[in-house]
Amino acid sequence: MKKQKTTSQKKKTGAYCRNKGHRYETKIAQELRNLGFTDVVTSRSESKNMDDKKVDLVDRSGKLPCYIQLKNTVNTPQYHAIKKECPLKDKPFIVIWNCLLYTSQSPRDVE
């Protein structure tokens, strides 16, 4: 007998995906800070304006040579569609994709 998904399960899934994305943004921001870009923060914490422009990481000092959009998903990101939504053209726009693979049991990150 098949179980039907309820509305509460969909909300949990959405919240889970959003939190997974937040954790990935924070992880990459920390890695960039460890590499010497000490003023890199997530756009969620710094600027809603930049977040709306599809930029996930902001370098408050301006030393980072590109705009970064992060994706933590199984599906291939639609690079050109995402880039088109970013009106900033003074630096290169890149997408960093953490591809997730599913095993027969559960998802795991590719390292």
Side-chain angles (χ1 to χ4, degrees), residues 15-31:
Y16 172 77
C17 291
R18 190 179 74 240
N19 289 333
K20 181 176 69 168
H22 288 199
R23 287 190 307 269
Y24 186 56
E25 289 175 12
T26 304
K27 175 186 172 194
I28 299 301
Q30 182 61 51
E31 288 179 10

Side-chain angles (χ1 to χ4, degrees), residues 3 11 31-32 38 42-43 50 55 58-59 62 65-66 69 76-78 82-83 85 89 92-93 95 97:
K3 288 185 179 181
K11 287 182 183 176
E31 288 179 10
L32 286 170
T38 55
T42 65
S43 62
M50 290 300 276
V55 176
V58 176
D59 184 5
C66 59
Q69 168 68 223
T76 305
Q78 299 298 314
I82 298 167
K83 183 180 179 183
E85 291 182 44
K89 307 296 181 201
F93 181 83
V95 174
W97 175 34

Side-chain angles (χ1 to χ4, degrees), residues 1-109:
M1 192 146 99
K2 268 188 170 179
K3 288 185 179 181
Q4 292 182 354
K5 289 185 179 181
T6 63
T7 305
S8 63
Q9 286 177 331
K10 288 182 182 179
K11 287 182 183 176
K12 287 180 184 177
T13 301
Y16 172 77
C17 291
R18 190 179 74 240
N19 289 333
K20 181 176 69 168
H22 288 199
R23 287 190 307 269
Y24 186 56
E25 289 175 12
T26 304
K27 175 186 172 194
I28 299 301
Q30 182 61 51
E31 288 179 10
L32 286 170
R33 286 192 294 270
N34 292 342
L35 290 171
F37 296 99
T38 55
D39 291 328
V40 170
V41 295
T42 65
S43 62
R44 294 179 193 278
S45 67
E46 182 66 21
S47 169
K48 176 153 177 22
N49 183 38
M50 290 300 276
D51 195 39
D52 291 344
K53 292 177 181 175
K54 302 298 179 190
V55 176
D56 286 337
L57 299 178
V58 176
D59 184 5
R60 293 180 289 196
S61 66
K63 294 178 184 175
L64 197 63
C66 59
Y67 295 115
I68 300 175
Q69 168 68 223
L70 299 167
K71 293 294 180 187
N72 190 18
T73 181
V74 174
N75 301 325
T76 305
Q78 299 298 314
Y79 173 79
H80 294 290
I82 298 167
K83 183 180 179 183
K84 189 182 283 187
E85 291 182 44
C86 179
L88 305 170
K89 307 296 181 201
D90 58 319
K91 295 180 183 178
F93 181 83
I94 65 167
V95 174
I96 298 175
W97 175 34
N98 184 36
C99 178
L100 300 173
L101 291 182
Y102 281 95
T103 64
S104 60
Q105 297 294 324
S106 63
R108 65 179 173 86
D109 287 32

